[in-house]
Structure formats: C-alpha cells, structure tokens
Amino acid sequence: MTQADYLAKFWMVIAHIPKGKVATYGDVAAMAGYPRMARAVGRCLKNLPEDSNLPWHRVLNAKGMLSFPQDSAKYRQQRQLLEAEGVLFQQHKIALARHRWRG
DNA sequence: TGAGTGACTGTCC
DNA sequence: CGGACAGCCACTC
C-alpha cells in the first residue's frame, strides 16, 4: 500500500457522494477502506487543483462543520456550494443526521 | 534526524 | 455539550 493507493480511493469515494449529501473526513477514509486516515483525506483535498471536478465541498468534519475559519473565503465558498444543493445550515453547523451520506 | 504541524477522529472524562 | 488526549501520516524546517 502506498500513499497513491488511498489518495486515489479517497478521490473515488468523494466523487461518488450524491448531490445534496455530505460525508465526514472519517467516513470517506473508512469507505475507501482506510479507517482512521481522516487526516490523509484532508491532505488529499488540500492538494486538489482548482480545476478538479471533485465535489470536495461535500466533505466536512465530524462535528458537521466546515474545517475553515468562518470568516475565510474558502468557508463562504464551501457553504454556498452546499446551500445551493439544499444542504441546510443551523448557525455554522450542518444537520449531519439529515444529510450524511451512507455509501 | 527529529520535532512540529495539519481541510481529522473516537474515546474518555 | 465541550475539552483533553492519543492515534494517524506526509510534509516542512
């Protein structure tokens, strides 16, 4: 197993998250077959090129919150993309129970 | 070479 | 509900 192996799997899992649904970093890692590799998922997204068509905005942390400072451009961008798909925010949190994707 | 860091998490107070 | 903590692993000094 190499780094490229799970990065590729994370990519695939994320690509399969349905519109209007979300998954946590841990979920993505587990679905890809690498439980406890949440951080690796984060790294994966961090390295994503701007022009990738990966729905990276559907991935959030276990608290149901975005992993960016709330006053950052990234936060606003991700939140807008999610709301555009019908994902509801309660203050700064998402109703995970309602939108969490079960592969 | 080793310590610090980070788009993280589950468990245990 | 929140805070501390130990796993986790590639990357950067």
mmCIF file of all heavy atoms in Angstrom, chain A residues 17-44:
data_model
loop_
_atom_site.group_PDB
_atom_site.id
_atom_site.type_symbol
_atom_site.label_atom_id
_atom_site.label_comp_id
_atom_site.label_asym_id
_atom_site.label_seq_id
_atom_site.Cartn_x
_atom_site.Cartn_y
_atom_site.Cartn_z
ATOM 1 N N ILE A 17 -20.102 10.888 -3.792
ATOM 2 C CA ILE A 17 -21.057 11.473 -2.848
ATOM 3 C C ILE A 17 -22.165 12.165 -3.637
ATOM 4 O O ILE A 17 -21.880 13.021 -4.468
ATOM 5 C CB ILE A 17 -20.362 12.510 -1.937
ATOM 6 C CG1 ILE A 17 -19.209 11.857 -1.176
ATOM 7 C CG2 ILE A 17 -21.382 13.096 -0.959
ATOM 8 C CD1 ILE A 17 -18.412 12.833 -0.321
ATOM 9 N N PRO A 18 -23.417 11.761 -3.393
ATOM 10 C CA PRO A 18 -24.540 12.331 -4.139
ATOM 11 C C PRO A 18 -24.735 13.810 -3.845
ATOM 12 O O PRO A 18 -24.414 14.281 -2.751
ATOM 13 C CB PRO A 18 -25.755 11.525 -3.641
ATOM 14 C CG PRO A 18 -25.198 10.375 -2.883
ATOM 15 C CD PRO A 18 -23.861 10.799 -2.389
ATOM 16 N N LYS A 19 -25.282 14.503 -4.801
ATOM 17 C CA LYS A 19 -25.598 15.915 -4.626
ATOM 18 C C LYS A 19 -26.596 16.065 -3.476
ATOM 19 O O LYS A 19 -27.533 15.287 -3.362
ATOM 20 C CB LYS A 19 -26.219 16.429 -5.926
ATOM 21 C CG LYS A 19 -26.468 17.888 -5.965
ATOM 22 C CD LYS A 19 -27.063 18.258 -7.328
ATOM 23 C CE LYS A 19 -27.486 19.711 -7.330
ATOM 24 N NZ LYS A 19 -28.169 20.056 -8.591
ATOM 25 N N GLY A 20 -26.369 17.048 -2.644
ATOM 26 C CA GLY A 20 -27.275 17.270 -1.520
ATOM 27 C C GLY A 20 -26.928 16.424 -0.309
ATOM 28 O O GLY A 20 -27.567 16.525 0.725
ATOM 29 N N LYS A 21 -25.912 15.565 -0.440
ATOM 30 C CA LYS A 21 -25.471 14.747 0.682
ATOM 31 C C LYS A 21 -24.056 15.150 1.070
ATOM 32 O O LYS A 21 -23.338 15.760 0.277
ATOM 33 C CB LYS A 21 -25.482 13.263 0.294
ATOM 34 C CG LYS A 21 -26.877 12.699 0.144
ATOM 35 C CD LYS A 21 -27.520 12.582 1.516
ATOM 36 C CE LYS A 21 -28.903 11.959 1.413
ATOM 37 N NZ LYS A 21 -29.555 11.850 2.711
ATOM 38 N N VAL A 22 -23.641 14.780 2.271
ATOM 39 C CA VAL A 22 -22.284 15.085 2.720
ATOM 40 C C VAL A 22 -21.688 13.876 3.422
ATOM 41 O O VAL A 22 -22.397 12.940 3.769
ATOM 42 C CB VAL A 22 -22.273 16.283 3.691
ATOM 43 C CG1 VAL A 22 -22.855 17.510 3.044
ATOM 44 C CG2 VAL A 22 -23.027 15.919 4.971
ATOM 45 N N ALA A 23 -20.394 13.908 3.618
ATOM 46 C CA ALA A 23 -19.709 12.834 4.339
ATOM 47 C C ALA A 23 -18.604 13.481 5.159
ATOM 48 O O ALA A 23 -18.124 14.562 4.814
ATOM 49 C CB ALA A 23 -19.131 11.827 3.354
ATOM 50 N N THR A 24 -18.216 12.825 6.236
ATOM 51 C CA THR A 24 -17.141 13.382 7.052
ATOM 52 C C THR A 24 -15.814 12.830 6.526
ATOM 53 O O THR A 24 -15.791 11.846 5.787
ATOM 54 C CB THR A 24 -17.290 12.989 8.538
ATOM 55 O OG1 THR A 24 -17.048 11.585 8.666
ATOM 56 C CG2 THR A 24 -18.685 13.322 9.039
ATOM 57 N N TYR A 25 -14.727 13.457 6.946
ATOM 58 C CA TYR A 25 -13.405 13.000 6.516
ATOM 59 C C TYR A 25 -13.226 11.541 6.916
ATOM 60 O O TYR A 25 -12.724 10.730 6.142
ATOM 61 C CB TYR A 25 -12.316 13.860 7.167
ATOM 62 C CG TYR A 25 -12.318 15.278 6.669
ATOM 63 C CD1 TYR A 25 -13.063 16.266 7.321
ATOM 64 C CD2 TYR A 25 -11.599 15.637 5.530
ATOM 65 C CE1 TYR A 25 -13.082 17.570 6.861
ATOM 66 C CE2 TYR A 25 -11.615 16.938 5.056
ATOM 67 C CZ TYR A 25 -12.363 17.898 5.731
ATOM 68 O OH TYR A 25 -12.386 19.177 5.263
ATOM 69 N N GLY A 26 -13.654 11.237 8.127
ATOM 70 C CA GLY A 26 -13.521 9.874 8.615
ATOM 71 C C GLY A 26 -14.357 8.900 7.791
ATOM 72 O O GLY A 26 -13.930 7.783 7.524
ATOM 73 N N ASP A 27 -15.541 9.325 7.412
ATOM 74 C CA ASP A 27 -16.415 8.484 6.592
ATOM 75 C C ASP A 27 -15.731 8.138 5.274
ATOM 76 O O ASP A 27 -15.713 6.987 4.845
ATOM 77 C CB ASP A 27 -17.723 9.218 6.273
ATOM 78 C CG ASP A 27 -18.643 9.296 7.485
ATOM 79 O OD1 ASP A 27 -18.419 8.538 8.443
ATOM 80 O OD2 ASP A 27 -19.578 10.111 7.453
ATOM 81 N N VAL A 28 -15.200 9.160 4.642
ATOM 82 C CA VAL A 28 -14.544 8.960 3.351
ATOM 83 C C VAL A 28 -13.399 7.964 3.499
ATOM 84 O O VAL A 28 -13.283 7.010 2.718
ATOM 85 C CB VAL A 28 -13.994 10.292 2.798
ATOM 86 C CG1 VAL A 28 -13.146 10.050 1.559
ATOM 87 C CG2 VAL A 28 -15.153 11.229 2.471
ATOM 88 N N ALA A 29 -12.598 8.179 4.531
ATOM 89 C CA ALA A 29 -11.461 7.283 4.759
ATOM 90 C C ALA A 29 -11.950 5.849 4.967
ATOM 91 O O ALA A 29 -11.418 4.915 4.356
ATOM 92 C CB ALA A 29 -10.677 7.757 5.978
ATOM 93 N N ALA A 30 -12.968 5.695 5.820
ATOM 94 C CA ALA A 30 -13.481 4.361 6.116
ATOM 95 C C ALA A 30 -14.069 3.707 4.863
ATOM 96 O O ALA A 30 -13.819 2.529 4.593
ATOM 97 C CB ALA A 30 -14.532 4.448 7.212
ATOM 98 N N MET A 31 -14.855 4.453 4.114
ATOM 99 C CA MET A 31 -15.471 3.906 2.903
ATOM 100 C C MET A 31 -14.414 3.487 1.896
ATOM 101 O O MET A 31 -14.625 2.577 1.100
ATOM 102 C CB MET A 31 -16.405 4.938 2.270
ATOM 103 C CG MET A 31 -17.733 5.106 2.987
ATOM 104 S SD MET A 31 -18.807 6.269 2.124
ATOM 105 C CE MET A 31 -19.251 7.376 3.433
ATOM 106 N N ALA A 32 -13.295 4.170 1.941
ATOM 107 C CA ALA A 32 -12.221 3.842 0.998
ATOM 108 C C ALA A 32 -11.433 2.630 1.499
ATOM 109 O O ALA A 32 -10.594 2.096 0.789
ATOM 110 C CB ALA A 32 -11.293 5.045 0.840
ATOM 111 N N GLY A 33 -11.740 2.216 2.716
ATOM 112 C CA GLY A 33 -11.050 1.058 3.257
ATOM 113 C C GLY A 33 -9.867 1.406 4.140
ATOM 114 O O GLY A 33 -9.034 0.564 4.444
ATOM 115 N N TYR A 34 -9.764 2.655 4.557
ATOM 116 C CA TYR A 34 -8.663 3.097 5.416
ATOM 117 C C TYR A 34 -9.171 3.869 6.623
ATOM 118 O O TYR A 34 -9.023 5.082 6.689
ATOM 119 C CB TYR A 34 -7.682 3.967 4.627
ATOM 120 C CG TYR A 34 -6.992 3.245 3.503
ATOM 121 C CD1 TYR A 34 -7.538 3.240 2.217
ATOM 122 C CD2 TYR A 34 -5.800 2.566 3.730
ATOM 123 C CE1 TYR A 34 -6.904 2.562 1.165
ATOM 124 C CE2 TYR A 34 -5.161 1.904 2.698
ATOM 125 C CZ TYR A 34 -5.727 1.908 1.418
ATOM 126 O OH TYR A 34 -5.087 1.244 0.406
ATOM 127 N N PRO A 35 -9.803 3.171 7.570
ATOM 128 C CA PRO A 35 -10.301 3.869 8.750
ATOM 129 C C PRO A 35 -9.176 4.598 9.482
ATOM 130 O O PRO A 35 -8.039 4.173 9.444
ATOM 131 C CB PRO A 35 -10.904 2.749 9.598
ATOM 132 C CG PRO A 35 -10.458 1.479 8.982
ATOM 133 C CD PRO A 35 -10.007 1.753 7.605
ATOM 134 N N ARG A 36 -9.474 5.668 10.129
ATOM 135 C CA ARG A 36 -8.503 6.487 10.882
ATOM 136 C C ARG A 36 -7.519 7.214 9.993
ATOM 137 O O ARG A 36 -6.456 7.601 10.441
ATOM 138 C CB ARG A 36 -7.740 5.617 11.878
ATOM 139 C CG ARG A 36 -8.716 4.978 12.810
ATOM 140 C CD ARG A 36 -8.078 4.313 13.964
ATOM 141 N NE ARG A 36 -9.119 3.537 14.609
ATOM 142 C CZ ARG A 36 -9.214 2.233 14.484
ATOM 143 N NH1 ARG A 36 -8.351 1.567 13.769
ATOM 144 N NH2 ARG A 36 -10.175 1.592 15.083
ATOM 145 N N MET A 37 -7.864 7.390 8.752
ATOM 146 C CA MET A 37 -6.974 8.116 7.846
ATOM 147 C C MET A 37 -7.595 9.462 7.496
ATOM 148 O O MET A 37 -7.321 10.024 6.447
ATOM 149 C CB MET A 37 -6.768 7.308 6.572
ATOM 150 C CG MET A 37 -5.954 6.073 6.782
ATOM 151 S SD MET A 37 -4.203 6.442 6.715
ATOM 152 C CE MET A 37 -3.746 6.072 8.340
ATOM 153 N N ALA A 38 -8.422 9.958 8.395
ATOM 154 C CA ALA A 38 -9.105 11.222 8.144
ATOM 155 C C ALA A 38 -8.143 12.329 7.726
ATOM 156 O O ALA A 38 -8.414 13.090 6.800
ATOM 157 C CB ALA A 38 -9.878 11.644 9.385
ATOM 158 N N ARG A 39 -7.021 12.399 8.406
ATOM 159 C CA ARG A 39 -6.066 13.469 8.086
ATOM 160 C C ARG A 39 -5.572 13.361 6.662
ATOM 161 O O ARG A 39 -5.312 14.359 5.992
ATOM 162 C CB ARG A 39 -4.882 13.407 9.048
ATOM 163 C CG ARG A 39 -5.258 13.732 10.457
ATOM 164 C CD ARG A 39 -4.023 14.085 11.238
ATOM 165 N NE ARG A 39 -3.900 15.507 11.249
ATOM 166 C CZ ARG A 39 -3.991 16.238 12.353
ATOM 167 N NH1 ARG A 39 -4.139 15.671 13.518
ATOM 168 N NH2 ARG A 39 -3.907 17.529 12.288
ATOM 169 N N ALA A 40 -5.409 12.123 6.208
ATOM 170 C CA ALA A 40 -4.921 11.909 4.850
ATOM 171 C C ALA A 40 -5.956 12.435 3.855
ATOM 172 O O ALA A 40 -5.613 12.954 2.799
ATOM 173 C CB ALA A 40 -4.644 10.432 4.610
ATOM 174 N N VAL A 41 -7.231 12.293 4.210
ATOM 175 C CA VAL A 41 -8.283 12.807 3.343
ATOM 176 C C VAL A 41 -8.160 14.329 3.262
ATOM 177 O O VAL A 41 -8.268 14.925 2.194
ATOM 178 C CB VAL A 41 -9.683 12.421 3.877
ATOM 179 C CG1 VAL A 41 -10.778 13.072 3.041
ATOM 180 C CG2 VAL A 41 -9.845 10.909 3.874
ATOM 181 N N GLY A 42 -7.920 14.931 4.398
ATOM 182 C CA GLY A 42 -7.747 16.371 4.428
ATOM 183 C C GLY A 42 -6.584 16.815 3.559
ATOM 184 O O GLY A 42 -6.688 17.780 2.815
ATOM 185 N N ARG A 43 -5.502 16.095 3.658
ATOM 186 C CA ARG A 43 -4.328 16.426 2.832
ATOM 187 C C ARG A 43 -4.676 16.302 1.362
ATOM 188 O O ARG A 43 -4.305 17.117 0.539
ATOM 189 C CB ARG A 43 -3.164 15.476 3.141
ATOM 190 C CG ARG A 43 -2.253 15.970 4.220
ATOM 191 C CD ARG A 43 -0.919 15.211 4.231
ATOM 192 N NE ARG A 43 -1.047 13.776 4.053
ATOM 193 C CZ ARG A 43 -1.153 12.903 5.058
ATOM 194 N NH1 ARG A 43 -1.178 13.323 6.298
ATOM 195 N NH2 ARG A 43 -1.232 11.624 4.810
ATOM 196 N N CYS A 44 -5.408 15.233 1.067
ATOM 197 C CA CYS A 44 -5.813 14.968 -0.307
ATOM 198 C C CYS A 44 -6.553 16.172 -0.871
ATOM 199 O O CYS A 44 -6.242 16.656 -1.951
ATOM 200 C CB CYS A 44 -6.703 13.728 -0.329
ATOM 201 S SG CYS A 44 -7.381 13.313 -1.944
#
